[in-house]
Amino acid sequence: MEKCRIGVYICMCGTNIAKIVDVDAVVDYISKLPNVVLARTYKYMCSNPGQEMIVQDIKENKLNRLVVAACSPSMHERTFRAALRKAGINQYLFEMANIREQCSWVHDDIKEATEKAMALTRAAVRRVELHESLESMTVDMCPQSLVIGGGIAGMTAALELADAGHVVHLVEKNNHLGGNLARVDLTAPYLYSARDLVTERITRIHNNKQVHLYLNSKVTGLTGFVGNFTATLAEQNGSKKQNEVKIGNVVVCTGYKEFDASRITHYGYGKLPNVITSFELERMIRTGRIETKEGKIPKYVAIIHCVGSRSLEFHAYCSRVCCMTALKYAHEIKSANPGCYISDVYIDMHAFGKGHEDFYRRSSEAKTLFLMYEKNERPVIRRAGPKDKCEMLIEVNEKLSGETIEIPADLIILMVGMEAREDSGEVARLVNISQDKEGWFIESHPKLEPVATTTDGIFIAGTCVAPKDIPDTVAQARATAARILAKISKGKIEVDAVYSEVNEDVCSGCRFCNNLCPFSAIEYNEEKKHSHVISALCKACGVCVAACPSSAIKGRHFTDSQILVQIDGLLDPVQ
């Protein structure tokens, strides 16, 4: 067996690590460990110079194992594996110690943090000695894709894939395309026609022969793994007809639903006839007449922001689009009724996008009255008296003046926030992805993998991920298409060599692992009476390994001996 020649690199991560951990002391300690040929520190190991240093050191010092003590492996393990491949050694002869999130970021004592960094790095050194060369597998990639949801995100993703020459199956649960955007008249900040945007996409969808459209349908089943999925599509009109399609990737673009304003009793929605939601105003605007329930042109209109958003009682997050949409309504109402007085009641004005700050300035010049109220407080709406010359009065504790102010209103518009759809849990279970506490789908990494999920081949885009505006939604949809096209172009897809294996000679066929696997990666062979791991689906979480009563399952790259020696290296006292 080849003798281990280990190279160890301690990253400073700028000052993220170096300000708490004495990296030079760690290098001095680690360099004295058995089989450590070389130990260095560098300011940013993930940078190109850092990578080149590793490649050069491997070649010059004939290193055959590598340890990097830096940030979380989820952040840069792939980066360092790529450096090993470039240097000509197996990428799995590498181990990463997390001395940032698990050490420098959670400690303020330099001595203790340094000793912990030494222990974490030493544990990685001991473990890497037992690493084995593993070879990744490849599987064929089906060039067809499935897009769930026919809103602006789904249509954009489908067209990007179809225009590249690949078949796309677009499934929409309603009997029409367009999603929530089809309910909107104009878009902020440039007041473009939303109808034009949607119509352009719908026309292209119907004219593109590569797009197979399924309206009034839903996905009822999804089996297989990246590159080789089988989806079952069913019509929702009572028909028992089902279609099975072979696909390589899935894009989930199921959108959002608006907050139910009747949940906030202070606003009187559902009780006061002229308290309406933003989408109800959109319907008025599209008919060409903004009026009260009695058919009168309102003299006083009030717009209340953050209905259901930025509230500890409902949703703490910001729905992002409400502020600019409210300003859009002020322009549209003024255009339809120049003599109308408009009050804009808000918590904070989030003019975050391109052109939005200028749009806010133009709105203030149009004589919109802006009134600010405190977060987690609410304006109170009540019917006006006979002498008030208006339908309703809004009482608000105005933050900037410090006074309680009454605002007249004939029509009140509630800017309802976005929330996850009620069927999002069903969709998440179907495609095997996760949700956060609010019900939004979770991306693989919020910064580095914003459209991917932890299930390979399943992508997410648009407002099913989190509240966002149209440009961000379209950008995400195109990003998913780019990721999928990159995979399709290779014809085959590489499967990580880290997965669980079942020893058929030991497996008793109890099927505990089948029920526990969170990725549905284990199937039972009725003929052989034992379980089998689908390596392309396995994420090496180790649940099956720990649960198997027969010890018949082995986790590649996470063997018992590797884990135990790492624990010993962590717990031994630093000398």
Side-chain angles (χ1 to χ4, degrees), residues 478-499:
R478 285 182 166 158
T480 62
R483 293 291 302 273
I484 291 171
L485 290 172
K487 291 184 177 186
I488 293 174
S489 67
K490 296 179 181 178
K492 292 184 178 292
I493 187 165
E494 184 177 303
V495 178
D496 196 345
V498 181
Y499 54 84

Side-chain angles (χ1 to χ4, degrees), residues 451-523:
V451 297
T453 68
T454 52
T455 300
D456 289 341
I458 308 295
F459 297 89
I460 50 180
T463 52
C464 64
V465 185
K468 57 179 60 67
D469 62 359
I470 298 169
D472 284 356
T473 295
V474 170
Q476 277 202 331
R478 285 182 166 158
T480 62
R483 293 291 302 273
I484 291 171
L485 290 172
K487 291 184 177 186
I488 293 174
S489 67
K490 296 179 181 178
K492 292 184 178 292
I493 187 165
E494 184 177 303
V495 178
D496 196 345
V498 181
Y499 54 84
S500 296
E501 293 178 311
V502 177
N503 185 339
E504 297 180 6
D505 297 331
V506 181
C507 179
S508 66
C510 68
R511 307 190 201 185
F512 281 178
C513 55
N514 297 52
N515 297 325
L516 289 172
C517 180
F519 303 101
S520 304
I522 307 178
E523 58 186 8

Side-chain angles (χ1 to χ4, degrees), residues 65 76 96 105 130 163 166 184 191 199 323 329 350 408 497 571:
R65 300 284 193 285
H76 279 302
M96 197 165 176
W105 278 5
L130 300 183
D163 288 345
H166 301 290
V184 175
L191 304 182
T199 302
C323 288
Y329 290 152
H350 287 194
L571 297 180

Side-chain angles (χ1 to χ4, degrees), residues 327-335 337-343 358-370:
L327 298 184
K328 179 198 76 163
Y329 290 152
H331 282 267
E332 289 180 294
I333 295 168
K334 276 283 190 181
S335 177
N337 183 10
C340 181
Y341 295 93
I342 299 176
S343 302
D358 186 55
F359 189 49
Y360 177 34
R361 179 186 55 78
R362 297 203 316 269
S363 300
S364 62
E365 290 173 355
K367 296 184 179 179
T368 299
L369 176 63
F370 291 102

